[in-house]
Amino acid sequence: MNNILKIYFYIFYIILFYSCHFSCLVVNVKDQDGGVIKEIINANITDDTITVELQLPDSTLITQHIDFTKEVQIVQVLLLGEEERGQKPYQILCFVNHVQANEFISPDAMSKLRQKNPGTIRVAEDNKGLFNITIDMKIKLKDSIYISQHVGSLCSEALDTTFTSKFDIDKWATVPGMYLGNLLQAVEYINYKAPNSNLKLCRDTGKVWSHCLCTMKVSIPWYPCALKFCKDHIGKKSTAVDSYRCGIQTCGKIMNFMYSVKHKQHCLTIE
């Protein structure tokens, strides 16, 4: 079954690649293990969003969706389940967090990017390192529009596995047009017996039915994070200096999402 699903995901990714060949930026990127993967980056000026999609060697699909208006990042992880552990053939998890708009270039600037050498293997100029993100809430999809209209569509198959945190809720409450009361209506705490600080990591827990702390590392090895500006003299004899846009700065980062699960067998990971 897993082989069939891998073929399905591969075909899906190929269709995605060719369907946006002229409207997306397709980049060959060196990942943290030294391998080469393709990233598909799409900017939507109308929705004020940027989407980064990549497929890992094990067929896991990663989608990073940035809603600039709401300052919302949605990381969707679609990965194959392990049938011998009683898991579904595939499962989707969504991690929804606050993001600063200046962490990426704007959708308008992104839409204008072109590659002179499409076959070049790209390496991020600035490695932002590892970000540990603690999850303590689930999002109720029926009310997720209070966070972003894109949560419901991207995470429709992650009814019980769409996560966020109280920290992010408080951050969004400061964004114009977002209100704490509405945001709290869209979430509920992950309420299991032991506090997260007392939980063992699932990988260190031997018992399948143990309540434990699951971790999932998601790497975005390359993305345009800022514009570069160069300076030039306005005239040959002038001392005045003018600045102009002359390229982009690229970054990479790893997000380590940590959340509690009722039983170890519910912990899926791509580490």
Side-chain angles (χ1 to χ4, degrees):
M1 176 64 76
N2 274 0
N3 287 334
I4 295 174
L5 283 170
K6 285 182 180 180
I7 293 171
Y8 169 78
F9 290 150
Y10 178 76
I11 293 172
F12 169 80
Y13 198 69
I14 291 296
I15 292 172
L16 179 65
F17 171 80
Y18 283 105
S19 66
C20 77
H21 187 68
F22 297 104
S23 60
C24 304
L25 190 68
V26 181
V27 186
N28 295 309
V29 176
K30 182 173 287 189
D31 65 18
Q32 59 184 350
D33 297 321
V36 177
I37 59 176
K38 285 189 184 297
E39 282 189 5
I40 301 173
I41 307 176
N42 183 38
N44 188 318
I45 300 173
T46 304
D47 285 348
D48 200 22
T49 61
I50 286 178
T51 304
V52 180
E53 297 177 281
L54 57 142
Q55 183 179 31
L56 304 184
D58 66 355
S59 298
T60 297
L61 296 177
I62 306 293
T63 301
Q64 180 189 31
H65 186 83
I66 307 296
D67 180 342
F68 284 79
T69 303
K70 295 292 190 72
E71 298 184 10
V72 171
Q73 170 185 262
I74 306 167
V75 176
Q76 182 208 69
V77 182
L78 190 157
L79 67 169
L80 298 178
E82 298 180 31
E83 294 181 69
E84 62 273 15
R85 293 173 61 185
Q87 296 172 353
K88 298 177 182 178
Y90 72 90
Q91 186 163 341
I92 294 176
L93 296 92
C94 282
F95 301 96
V96 185
N97 303 99
H98 177 266
V99 66
Q100 296 287 351
N102 61 7
E103 291 183 28
F104 279 72
I105 66 172
S106 70
D108 180 63
M110 184 70 228
S111 68
K112 296 173 182 175
L113 289 184
R114 299 293 182 269
Q115 290 191 89
K116 292 182 180 178
N117 302 297
T120 301
I121 298 173
R122 310 288 176 180
V123 179
E125 299 166 300
D126 185 4
N127 182 358
K128 295 291 187 181
L130 177 68
F131 294 83
N132 288 313
I133 302 171
T134 301
I135 300 299
D136 56 10
M137 286 182 155
K138 287 184 180 180
I139 294 177
K140 295 181 281 188
L141 292 185
K142 64 183 180 65
D143 296 317
S144 63
I145 194 169
Y146 291 128
I147 298 174
S148 169
Q149 63 176 329
H150 306 286
V151 175
S153 56
L154 275 171
C155 307
S156 60
E157 292 188 70
L159 187 63
D160 295 316
T161 52
T162 298
F163 303 107
T164 190
S165 72
K166 182 58 167 61
F167 175 83
D168 294 300
I169 293 293
D170 291 338
K171 283 284 188 180
W172 288 321
T174 66
V175 176
M178 300 180 78
Y179 304 98
L180 183 59
N182 290 339
L183 292 166
L184 290 174
Q185 184 178 327
V187 295
E188 59 185 357
Y189 278 101
I190 301 174
N191 188 19
Y192 297 133
K193 292 181 180 179
N196 285 0
S197 58
N198 296 331
L199 290 179
K200 288 185 178 180
L201 291 173
C202 291
R203 63 172 176 261
D204 297 331
T205 303
K207 297 179 180 178
V208 175
W209 300 104
S210 294
H211 176 206
C212 55
L213 189 64
C214 189
T215 63
M216 179 171 289
K217 286 184 180 178
V218 177
S219 174
I220 307 295
W222 189 95
Y223 63 94
C225 52
L227 296 174
K228 287 182 179 178
F229 290 89
C230 298
K231 294 182 179 180
D232 194 9
H233 290 284
I234 296 175
K236 291 183 179 180
K237 297 182 180 181
S238 174
T239 57
V241 176
D242 191 20
S243 63
Y244 61 95
R245 194 169 74 184
C246 58
I248 59 169
Q249 180 179 348
T250 59
C251 297
K253 66 178 178 180
I254 300 173
M255 295 166 283
N256 184 36
F257 298 102
M258 298 178 288
Y259 61 101
S260 63
V261 291
K262 197 168 186 178
H263 303 303
K264 179 180 178 178
Q265 67 173 3
H266 296 152
C267 180
L268 301 177
T269 181
I270 53 175
E271 290 187 77

